[in-house]
Amino acid sequence: MAMTKGNTMKFKSLPWSDDFMYQAILNHEQKYNGKFLTCVKSTGIYCLPSCPARKPLLKNIRFLATEQEAIAEGFRICKRCRPDLFYRGENQDENLFNEMLVRIRAHPAAFQNIGTLAKSCGVSSTKLNELVRVHAHISPAELLNRERIAAACLALVTTSQKILDIGLAVGFESEASFHRQFLSQTAMTPSAYRSLRDTSEFTLKLPADFTPDYAWRYHLRDKSSLSEYLDEHGFTKALWINHVPVIIHLKIDNATAYCYWQQPSTSDVNSQPVGVLIHQQVIRLLGLNTNVSAFQSSAKQNSQMARLLAQSSPLYIPMTATPFESLVWAIIGQQINLTFAAALRQALIKLAGPVVGDSSLHIHPSAINIAALEPQQLTDIRFSRAKAQYLITAAKAIVDGELDLDQLATGSAITAEKKLCAIKGIGPWTARYTMMRGLGFADCTPVGDSGLHTALQQFYQLDKRPTATEVEQLMKPFSPFRTQATTYLWESLRKKS
């Protein structure tokens, strides 16, 4: 074995020739990451074999087996492929995406187009597109618009700046483009959004193909729910706003949603205006953040998507009012049927959900409410001991700050799934269901879901139900819209029943 100059470290021999390893790095082969390092003599840096940077001549390269050897020989980490993150078990792309989000949110107007954004990240436009699709489940252009609109929304309710000035300040090139993008994401004009600061009602302009039937069916899975109901006057639900219970009323008439609310007590004056928070939750409840048009456009080049779309009218994917409500539903629904899950949810709401004012409506328990429970209280209402423990553990993780669902919703899908699965009792199905219905990610496959497995068997006319591995493969043609595809597949079972 070779020795360092000071004879303090033994160098590991490598089982490949320099020519073989050189060919591997020319091909950017990821399978050799962790097996050897490329140390460039002329620049003094060390890289992973998959590093996308331009390769020097072989005579200027030294191959070493470990990071410790590279550091001992005086080589520095490559800022492009970040071998230090790899050896710490961190995902380079995940870090790159998170760092990019920080830059966009600090200065949304700094990136005029996708090329500018890609350059700031040190990647090609192709790599940027892949990065954002994997982590945000949307395109880079959609990500930029989402963050610009978020910045504009904050400025509208916290400043007195002119609306046009706000649009230009966050990066839109004209008043027309600002209004168009703002309306598509918030279902109202910027001036109407600004009025949310001091109002107790608002209206939303709905897409022409929007119908509320699917949203109502989703929210009323429990026909005897204590926290929401639908009657001839519309949909009514109790919500937490600024940690205070509020009752909202929603009525859909043609292409307009009318919303007003009752607030029995005063909210925290230091928080966002009540109207702003209710608007966010109504957008979630109606599924208005669903990119139906992009899904339909993709179907023109994808026969499987086209066949799926033909089975149903357009579906806007409703979400729970809060991410925590979705997580609770997912934990309750583990390995039991829908009827029993709805009964457990109702019992939980009755046990831990406060009654709002002098109404008969309970509000869905918050993480604080559930964290304060003892497992015995849940087993007394027919929860299994394991399910009771999982639910309380998840609630305590949120209360203690270990799990921030709101932050996960606007970050990386990869990070979100890892954070969720790190909580005891949360596996891939629970995490992905929460990501679909609670965090709003567009490309999730809840592998292990009985309904999805059955629907795929029928859709592809298979002899037997697909395995988990087969489900992953069968859902690939629907990427990056697997959340919508899953919903259409679930709906296909309802229509056949």
Side-chain angles (χ1 to χ4, degrees):
M1 289 188 180
M3 302 287 290
T4 61
K5 293 176 182 178
N7 290 332
T8 59
M9 177 181 289
K10 290 185 177 181
F11 280 23
K12 294 181 181 178
S13 59
L14 291 164
W16 308 282
S17 68
D18 284 1
D19 287 336
F20 179 90
M21 289 185 284
Y22 189 63
Q23 190 59 50
I25 70 170
L26 291 179
N27 295 333
H28 310 290
E29 294 192 29
Q30 293 189 10
K31 66 181 180 180
Y32 289 105
N33 288 350
K35 297 181 178 179
F36 67 84
L37 287 165
T38 305
C39 301
V40 184
K41 301 173 187 176
S42 55
T43 60
I45 64 170
Y46 67 95
C47 306
L48 296 170
S50 65
C51 183
R54 184 178 178 181
K55 306 305 179 195
L57 297 174
L58 177 57
K59 66 180 182 180
N60 292 324
I61 291 177
R62 183 179 178 190
F63 294 108
L64 294 174
T66 69
E67 188 179 32
Q68 290 77 15
E69 291 176 1
I71 293 172
E73 289 296 285
F75 291 100
R76 307 182 309 277
I77 60 171
C78 172
K79 298 295 186 180
R80 189 85 178 270
C81 67
R82 295 301 301 269
D84 56 324
L85 298 181
F86 176 85
Y87 282 98
R88 290 207 305 266
E90 298 181 32
N91 184 289
Q92 178 198 348
D93 282 355
E94 192 175 339
N95 281 277
L96 177 60
F97 176 79
N98 291 331
E99 290 167 4
M100 178 185 67
L101 275 184
V102 170
R103 289 196 294 272
I104 293 174
R105 288 169 181 169
H107 302 287
F111 309 99
Q112 298 176 346
N113 51 47
I114 303 309
T116 307
L117 182 58
K119 185 176 181 180
S120 76
C121 296
V123 298
S124 67
S125 295
T126 300
K127 173 62 178 178
L128 178 68
N129 186 67
E130 177 190 359
L131 181 76
V132 177
R133 284 288 188 195
V134 168
H135 290 275
H137 293 183
I138 53 180
S139 70
E142 289 170 322
L143 177 67
L144 267 179
N145 281 333
R146 184 187 80 181
E147 297 303 328
R148 287 171 176 171
I149 294 300
C153 285
L154 182 61
L156 283 167
V157 296
T158 58
T159 75
S160 58
Q161 286 180 275
K162 292 181 179 179
I163 289 175
L164 176 57
D165 291 341
I166 289 174
L168 297 176
V170 298
F172 290 101
E173 295 181 351
S174 68
E175 185 173 14
S177 63
F178 175 44
H179 276 254
R180 182 174 62 254
Q181 291 295 336
F182 195 93
L183 181 63
S184 71
Q185 292 193 41
T186 66
M188 58 171 51
T189 64
S191 59
Y193 189 89
R194 172 164 269 173
S195 72
L196 293 175
R197 293 183 295 189
D198 49 15
T199 185
S200 60
E201 60 183 18
F202 59 78
T203 61
L204 300 177
K205 181 177 174 56
L206 302 175
D209 57 1
F210 180 86
T211 56
D213 296 352
Y214 181 68
W216 301 155
R217 287 203 309 275
Y218 175 72
H219 295 305
L220 297 168
R221 305 181 297 291
D222 173 8
K223 306 298 183 187
S224 304
S225 175
L226 300 173
S227 60
E228 57 268 305
Y229 64 84
L230 181 68
D231 61 18
E232 67 274 14
H233 302 296
F235 179 72
T236 299
K237 181 175 176 64
L239 300 172
W240 288 109
I241 301 295
N242 290 349
H243 308 293
V244 172
V246 173
I247 298 176
I248 67 157
H249 305 274
L250 265 174
K251 184 175 179 62
I252 308 294
D253 185 9
N254 295 323
T256 304
Y258 301 87
C259 179
Y260 70 95
W261 56 90
Q262 300 162 271
Q263 187 175 357
S265 57
T266 305
S267 63
D268 182 355
V269 294
N270 294 319
S271 298
Q272 291 189 59
V274 171
V276 169
L277 297 173
I278 291 177
H279 170 268
Q280 292 171 359
Q281 293 193 319
V282 170
I283 291 288
R284 292 172 56 90
L285 291 170
L286 295 180
L288 295 181
N289 51 5
T290 309
N291 196 340
V292 169
S293 60
F295 188 43
Q296 292 172 333
S297 295
S298 293
K300 295 175 183 177
Q301 291 83 38
N302 186 315
S303 60
Q304 302 292 14
M305 280 190 187
R307 188 157 68 90
L308 193 59
L309 277 172
Q311 298 181 6
S312 174
S313 57
L315 296 177
Y316 288 80
I317 315 303
M319 297 167 62
T320 53
T322 66
F324 180 65
E325 190 173 334
S326 176
L327 178 58
V328 170
W329 177 263
I331 293 174
I332 288 176
Q334 292 172 349
Q335 299 180 330
I336 60 175
N337 62 43
L338 180 62
T339 301
F340 188 39
L344 289 182
R345 176 180 181 269
Q346 183 180 142
L348 175 68
I349 291 173
K350 186 175 182 179
L351 171 69
V355 175
V356 184
D358 57 1
S359 74
S360 60
L361 278 178
H362 289 250
I363 190 167
H364 189 284
S366 67
I368 294 174
N369 297 141
I370 293 178
L373 297 175
E374 294 295 332
Q376 182 66 44
Q377 293 175 271
L378 294 178
T379 56
D380 286 346
I381 57 172
R382 298 196 294 168
F383 276 68
S384 68
R385 179 156 294 278
K387 198 182 294 286
Q389 193 62 61
Y390 296 159
L391 188 57
I392 292 171
T393 297
K396 286 181 176 178
I398 292 170
V399 172
D400 295 342
E402 180 184 346
L403 184 66
D404 187 334
L405 293 177
D406 291 325
Q407 185 179 64
L408 294 183
T410 56
S412 161
I414 304 297
T415 301
E417 185 165 354
K418 286 197 299 187
K419 290 278 190 181
L420 286 166
C421 288
I423 304 298
K424 185 177 181 180
I426 298 180
W429 178 84
T430 304
R432 292 183 185 182
Y433 183 89
T434 303
M435 290 167 69
M436 290 172 61
R437 296 297 199 179
L439 307 184
F441 285 105
D443 198 29
C444 297
T445 300
V447 173
D449 184 88
S450 178
L452 177 60
H453 285 236
T454 299
L456 283 169
Q457 180 184 0
Q458 295 179 5
F459 183 77
Y460 286 105
Q461 298 182 331
L462 304 175
D463 293 334
K464 58 183 178 64
R465 279 165 56 93
T467 64
T469 301
E470 290 168 340
V471 166
E472 292 277 19
Q473 291 299 120
L474 292 171
M475 290 296 290
K476 279 187 176 180
F478 302 113
S479 184
F481 304 105
R482 283 175 285 191
T483 294
Q484 286 189 67
T486 297
T487 307
Y488 276 83
L489 287 162
W490 281 336
E491 186 70 356
S492 71
L493 292 180
R494 185 189 71 85
K495 291 189 173 184
K496 290 179 180 178
S497 61

